[in-house]
Amino acid sequence: MEVVIVQDAKAGGELIAEAIADLLRRKPDALLGVATGSTPLPVYDALTAKVRAGAVDVSRARIAQLDEYVGLPAGHPESYRSTVLRQVVEPLGLSPDAFLGPDGTAEDVQAACEAYDRALAEAGGVDLQILGIGTDGHIGFNEPCSSLASRTRIKTLTEQTRIDNARFFDGDIDQVPHHVITQGIGTILEARHLVLLATGEGKADAVAATVEGPVAALVPASALQLHPHATVVVDEAAASKLKLADYFRHTYANKPSWQGL
Ligand code: F6R
């Protein structure tokens, strides 16, 4: 696992957007896995700026959703499908056909989960998966004690996650669904490159447990330690509880430039 400490969220967004641009220069039809929430927005902004500046061609890129609320009506502005269309697909000028996601409105949720795992595999697998992290260490919506081998399935959100996400629902926790479909941890680990971005002091404990704690289902993001190509990008505030912060800074500062992220 590589840990890169950046000054702030904007620098993290720029660094990850450049890694995505590099990937698309090598593989123009790459499948990019996207997280929602506040953290990855600087990545999408920086990537959109590169596209508008002509620095990268994303016209053949494909986008895959990480998770979805269950039970929001189709087209609800806070469904993750609507969110990804608004924040990623439209700004990048991609067609909605280039977009894969689980069906949070399906009557047979289990079948929808299995269909999504199949669709990801048939699309050749995710090349680069962007991840955020919950204050409780979740990735996607794999809450603490999710199986590290889990596949895409329905999960019940913790009260803390519903409180954290109420800000997207006019601050009203009653509007936040209790259930979600999320790629499982086993599914996420199949992506070729995992890039987790964490910013702000509120993520410092979760980041320290992810990077320096044991691999444990209690901290779902710690499963990144099992992946051969995982990059954790953190700002100074999110890095503030890392014991090895100086080591990570030294290693990154001396990294051969050809290696990229
Ligand atoms: C949502 C997702 C979640 C978020 C996490 C952090 O698609 O994957 O794991 O990344 O809840 O959310 P923010 O970035 O809003 O703090």
Side-chain angles (χ1 to χ4, degrees):
M1 176 189 288
E2 177 176 34
V3 180
V4 183
I5 302 175
V6 293
Q7 194 58 40
D8 52 26
K10 190 164 186 286
E14 181 55 42
L15 185 71
I16 296 172
E18 189 48 37
I20 296 169
D22 268 352
L23 167 67
L24 289 167
R25 288 176 198 122
R26 290 193 308 273
K27 185 175 181 185
D29 65 346
L31 182 58
L32 182 63
V34 295
T36 50
S38 307
T39 311
L41 292 177
V43 178
Y44 307 145
D45 289 347
L47 188 59
T48 301
K50 284 181 193 301
V51 172
R52 293 193 178 144
V56 60
D57 177 6
V58 293
S59 58
R60 292 176 57 203
R62 296 167 300 148
I63 302 292
Q65 220 173 305
L66 185 56
D67 40 21
E68 181 57 280
Y69 288 116
V70 169
L72 290 182
H76 188 289
E78 293 309 326
S79 76
Y80 283 169
R81 182 178 176 83
S82 301
T83 305
V84 171
L85 285 170
R86 194 169 59 239
Q87 295 178 346
V88 184
V89 174
E90 285 161 15
L92 294 181
L94 300 175
S95 148
D97 296 342
F99 175 58
L100 290 174
D103 181 0
T105 66
E107 263 184 37
D108 186 342
V109 177
Q110 183 58 30
C113 294
E114 288 166 16
Y116 191 47
D117 268 346
R118 272 198 309 278
L120 290 172
E122 280 161 16
V126 173
D127 289 294
L128 186 153
Q129 177 65 54
I130 299 166
L131 297 166
I133 185 170
T135 51
D136 60 4
H138 70 228
I139 47 173
F141 275 130
N142 295 283
E143 295 284 29
C145 295
S146 290
S147 158
L148 300 185
S150 49
R151 311 300 307 173
T152 300
R153 69 214 182 292
I154 188 166
K155 288 293 286 182
T156 304
L157 293 179
T158 62
E159 207 55 7
Q160 183 60 52
T161 300
R162 291 181 65 243
I163 291 168
D164 289 345
N165 286 6
R167 69 190 192 281
F168 298 114
F169 291 84
D170 305 322
D172 177 7
I173 190 172
D174 293 334
Q175 290 184 46
V176 184
H178 283 275
H179 297 109
V180 288
I181 292 175
T182 181
Q183 285 190 33
I185 298 175
T187 315
I188 292 170
L189 290 176
E190 284 171 3
R192 294 178 186 86
H193 185 191
L194 300 179
V195 182
L196 185 148
L197 176 63
T199 51
E201 210 184 332
K203 302 291 173 72
D205 284 322
V207 166
T210 296
V211 173
E212 295 176 343
V215 175
L218 191 59
V219 182
S222 67
L224 267 68
Q225 294 180 32
L226 299 170
H227 195 281
H229 191 183
T231 310
V232 175
V233 179
V234 283
D235 69 356
E236 292 287 349
S240 59
K241 298 204 171 153
L242 288 174
K243 294 192 193 79
L244 297 182
D246 285 342
Y247 164 71
F248 296 134
R249 285 192 189 92
H250 174 82
T251 311
Y252 186 66
N254 291 287
K255 187 177 180 179
S257 57
W258 52 263
Q259 259 189 321
L261 269 194

